[in-house]
Amino acid sequence: MSREDVMQWSLWLGIANFLLTWGVALYMYMSNKNKATNSRIDALEARVTASIIDHGNRITRLEVGPTHEDLGTLHEKVNDVTTEVAQLIGTVNGMNRLLGSIDEHLRRRSG
């Protein structure tokens, strides 16, 4: 083999090496990009599935309606509010009587 043949083979091997290296790099890039996309899709699918399950549970609770315990808790809260409103009414009535007495006293003094 002559020196020119060796140089020509060397050139072709260099070109082949270059193309093969860039081909492998492109393959790796596309493969990693595909893996990243698949992992994002899997994460999104898991979130959607969890949301659907949660939504189904909420609909089931709405269809079942309030339980006896729920109604009991609501009744207790209504009773608490009623008691507080009654206290406020009593306080306002007392204030009204006090203001009436003050008004009457001031009228007597000035008249």
Side-chain angles (χ1 to χ4, degrees), residues 51-70:
S51 177
I52 289 172
I53 290 171
D54 182 49
H55 186 68
N57 290 340
R58 289 174 53 201
I59 288 175
T60 302
R61 283 185 43 210
L62 288 174
E63 288 175 349
V64 169
T67 64
H68 185 69
E69 183 179 318
D70 293 337

Side-chain angles (χ1 to χ4, degrees), residues 66-91:
T67 64
H68 185 69
E69 183 179 318
D70 293 337
L71 293 176
T73 303
L74 183 62
H75 183 69
E76 287 175 11
K77 289 181 181 181
V78 168
N79 283 343
D80 292 343
V81 170
T82 303
T83 302
E84 290 178 14
V85 168
Q87 289 174 351
L88 286 173
I89 289 172
T91 303

